[in-house]
Amino acid sequence: AIGHGWMSFFRVYSASSANLGITNTDGVTTAAPGGSVTYTIAAINAGPSNAPGSTVADTFPASLTCSWTCVGSGSGTCTASGSGNINDPVNLPSGGSVTYTASCTIAANASGSLSNTATVSPSGSVTDPTPGNNSAIDTDTLGVQADIAVTLSDSRSFARVGDALDYLIEVTNPSGPSTAVANVSDALPAGLDSGSWTCTPTPDPGTICHNGSGNTL
């Protein structure tokens, strides 16, 4: 008799598992429109597996204009520099990290707050057992900082009864850094008849003022 034997073959698949994490901070809690902030964004792989083909991403708030550099550690690699948003393919071996330094200018007319979110994600072949630390948010309250100054002159040292006087009132925001809203007032002396006034915004066409008569306001 001829016997028949059965032999089974099993192929074992081992999924890569890597605990990726990211931090994101600019070291402050408040910022001024027209000023700047610098974010430090660090992505790390706590293992146990390597995580090639991972992605670090940061879509900066619209009120920011940013440029950035990146350095790796522990054999981690990333793009050395760039501008605008970050969407960078990185290599994160177990124990490796990449650190971005993003220098950002805040629009002078920005308001509210800055909320910036950075993320790290593994490639499809790698499983992250703790995805809760794959994003980090930094939030700053925006507070206007402006250096309002005013000068007043009629370019003369004496006047006679019946003379017409032309006053030049100049309001500036020389140091900023923020765009400011200001009320300008000038209570005319009792000896002067009510006059009229014009206002010329310069040099920024975004500056707004009005014409009128009587006390300026």
Side-chain angles (χ1 to χ4, degrees):
I2 299 176
H4 297 275
W6 297 89
M7 182 176 295
S8 297
F9 294 91
F10 296 93
R11 181 172 295 174
V12 178
Y13 293 90
S14 177
S16 296
S17 177
N19 179 11
L20 303 185
I22 196 166
T23 59
N24 173 27
T25 182
D26 62 5
V28 298
T29 57
T30 60
S36 62
V37 289
T38 300
Y39 294 99
T40 300
I41 302 163
I44 189 170
N45 178 9
S49 302
N50 296 331
S54 298
T55 301
V56 173
D58 192 331
T59 300
F60 295 106
S63 57
L64 294 182
T65 302
C66 302
S67 60
W68 48 267
T69 59
C70 184
V71 294
S73 179
S75 298
T77 59
C78 54
T79 301
S81 62
S83 60
N85 297 329
I86 300 172
N87 187 21
D88 194 23
V90 299
N91 176 45
L92 288 172
S94 179
S97 65
V98 292
T99 300
Y100 297 81
T101 301
S103 300
C104 304
T105 300
I106 309 169
N109 61 351
S111 61
S113 63
L114 288 178
S115 183
N116 178 43
T117 302
T119 63
V120 61
S121 55
S123 66
S125 62
V126 178
T127 299
D128 190 335
T130 54
N133 61 350
N134 287 17
S135 66
I137 302 174
D138 182 278
T139 301
D140 300 329
T141 300
L142 290 175
V144 172
Q145 293 183 12
D147 178 23
I148 305 291
V150 62
T151 60
L152 169 63
S153 174
D154 63 1
S155 299
R156 58 196 300 176
S157 58
F158 68 92
R160 294 171 297 192
V161 175
D163 281 355
L165 299 178
D166 293 323
Y167 289 100
L168 176 64
I169 303 170
E170 186 174 17
V171 182
T172 59
N173 180 15
S175 301
S178 308
T179 298
V181 177
N183 290 327
V184 180
S185 63
D186 184 1
L188 297 174
L192 294 181
D193 292 333
S194 177
S196 62
W197 45 269
T198 60
C199 181
T200 304
T202 181
D204 185 350
T207 301
I208 300 173
C209 61
H210 306 281
N211 302 328
S213 61
N215 296 333
T216 59
L217 180 64

